[in-house]
Structures are given as C-alpha cells and as structure tokens.
Amino acid sequence: MTIFTSRDPASRAAGELALITAGIVGSLGDAHAAGLQAAEERREKRAAYRYACELAEARGRADELGRVAIRAVRHVAALEAEVRRLCIALEQRQAHIDRLRGAAA
C-alpha cells in the first residue's frame, strides 16, 4: 500500500518519512563510526611512523657515538704508548745522570 492508495495518506507518509529518516540516521551513524575508526588508524600510523623515524635517528646517533668511542679508545691507547715511551726515556736519562754523578764523585 502506498500513500496514494491509503485511507490515511498523511500518517502513511509520516510513517514512510520516519522509516527513511531512521535509515539515514543509521547510515550517518555508521559513517561517523567509520570516520572515527579511520581517524584512529591514521593516528596510529602517524605514531608508528614517528616512532620509526625516532628509532632510525637514535640508531644513527648510536652508530656515530660508537665511532667516537672507538676513536677515543684508539687515542687513549696512543697516549698510553706515548707515556710508556716517555717513561723509558726518562729512566734512561736519569740512569745517565746518575752515572755521570758517580764518575764525578
């Protein structure tokens, strides 16, 4: 039965309008929920991307710090070798000075 064949076309039209409105409201609710879910997924993707970028940056800094540490260890080793060489030279010179003092006395 349609509004044209109904005995009460106004209430029939109101009922059909109510059904159409309920359908539109349901569709709008679904669209809103889908929009919220899409926004949440975009937020999660942005957070994951930001984390990946920060992790890559931290790894780069860690690599650079590792290279700096290796250079520092090599420099310390070179300085220790220089100190050993200077200590040996100092002992030799002191022994020579002691021999000269012994010969003069």
Side-chain angles (χ1 to χ4, degrees), residues 55-71:
L55 182 60
E57 186 179 326
R59 284 182 177 156
R61 284 193 306 264
D63 288 344
E64 179 60 27
L65 288 175
R67 287 190 288 276
V68 167
I70 289 170
R71 284 195 308 268

Side-chain angles (χ1 to χ4, degrees), residues 74-93:
R74 288 180 181 154
H75 184 66
V76 167
L79 291 174
E80 287 174 345
E82 178 70 12
V83 167
R84 281 191 301 275
R85 186 185 67 76
L86 290 173
C87 284
I88 291 170
L90 180 63
E91 288 173 5
Q92 289 174 349
R93 284 180 178 83

Side-chain angles (χ1 to χ4, degrees), residues 48-59:
Y49 177 75
R50 188 170 40 250
Y51 175 76
C53 288
E54 290 172 357
L55 182 60
E57 186 179 326
R59 284 182 177 156

Side-chain angles (χ1 to χ4, degrees), residues 1-3 11-21:
M1 188 184 299
T2 67
I3 60 171
S11 58
R12 180 69 184 183
E16 287 182 9
L17 182 60
L19 288 174
I20 291 170
T21 303

